[in-house]
Amino acid sequence: MTQTNLSRVAIVTGGSRGIGRQAAVRLAREGQAVVIVYANNHAEADAAVAEIEAAGGRAVAVQADVAEPEAVAAAFTRAEEVFGGVDVVVHSAGLMVLDTVADFDLDKLDRMHRTNIRGTFVVNQQAARCVRDGGAIINLSTSVTKLALPTYAAYSASKGAVDAISPVLAKELRGRNITVNAVAPGPTATELFLEGKDEETIRRMAGLNPIGRLGMPEDIAEVIAFLAGPGRWINGQTVYVNGGMV
């Protein structure tokens, strides 16, 4: 029997802000119960839960470091205890540190790759073990892997790992009707993207696509919701969501 969205449960990492929060809100609006996994910002996580509940949805927040297997496993256990299982995992948690290859601080490199690479692997490992048959796993990548922009080498490398993990896991889950895809946003108006950029840089990057604007978190959440629900024939892909930038 095919599950309806009213019986499906989603875990969204990085769900307290930005794209993750909008994905959580969108999935809840479509009837899915949502577990919002966050790193440190209790207030934003509570606000995300309140927003979903105010609209009639079901949500809880769980704090976890996505690079720590025990913490991630505990988040999945919480989803099972509160809502009965896990059908959808949206892995949106990530860090972005920018600098040239010559000047990059290697401690910051290790910190970013711990979250973006190890974190993706840990979350996907737990998802592979726990997501119910017929579910979906969606990882957040980036369109800058195709652009070769100066200062983005370390970040692009970390997201290139996301593009590598997703199709392999899709094949490893053969026989369970679980799709695994990556969503690669272009420049999107989130705190992660806007921090440290001047108006000229933002304007220039908004003009990289023919539509001529930055993406909004809601634009990305729309594609995530499609992959989490009706988009069953898309599997093992990186889907570029960038207004035609690349």
Side-chain angles (χ1 to χ4, degrees), residues 141-148 184-187 239-242 245-246:
S141 179
T142 177
S143 290
V144 299
T145 55
K146 287 184 171 291
L147 290 176
V239 181
Y240 291 89
V241 189
N242 54 40
M245 181 179 69
V246 294

Side-chain angles (χ1 to χ4, degrees), residues 37-172:
V37 177
Y38 68 100
N40 297 305
N41 198 321
H42 302 271
E44 288 290 349
D46 288 344
V49 169
E51 180 180 357
I52 289 170
E53 292 181 337
R58 299 168 295 158
V60 295
V62 178
Q63 186 174 18
D65 178 346
V66 295
E68 287 297 330
E70 295 81 6
V72 173
F76 277 75
T77 297
R78 179 68 170 156
E80 292 167 359
E81 291 172 346
V82 177
F83 297 125
V86 179
D87 303 285
V88 172
V89 173
V90 178
H91 178 50
S92 179
L95 296 177
M96 182 167 66
V97 181
L98 304 180
D99 206 345
T100 63
V101 171
D103 295 329
F104 211 96
D105 183 320
L106 294 182
D107 288 336
K108 292 180 179 178
L109 177 75
D110 291 342
R111 177 171 170 261
M112 182 168 62
H113 283 195
R114 181 181 182 276
T115 296
N116 293 3
I117 299 177
R118 178 185 166 98
T120 296
F121 202 94
V122 168
V123 171
N124 279 247
Q125 184 177 67
Q126 197 64 33
R129 295 169 177 171
C130 297
V131 167
R132 293 185 284 208
D133 291 3
I137 301 167
I138 300 126
N139 296 310
L140 268 291
S141 179
T142 177
S143 290
V144 299
T145 55
K146 287 184 171 291
L147 290 176
L149 294 175
T151 75
Y152 278 84
Y155 179 69
S156 294
S158 72
K159 290 300 188 175
V162 176
D163 293 341
I165 291 167
S166 302
V168 173
L169 182 56
K171 292 182 178 180
E172 290 178 350

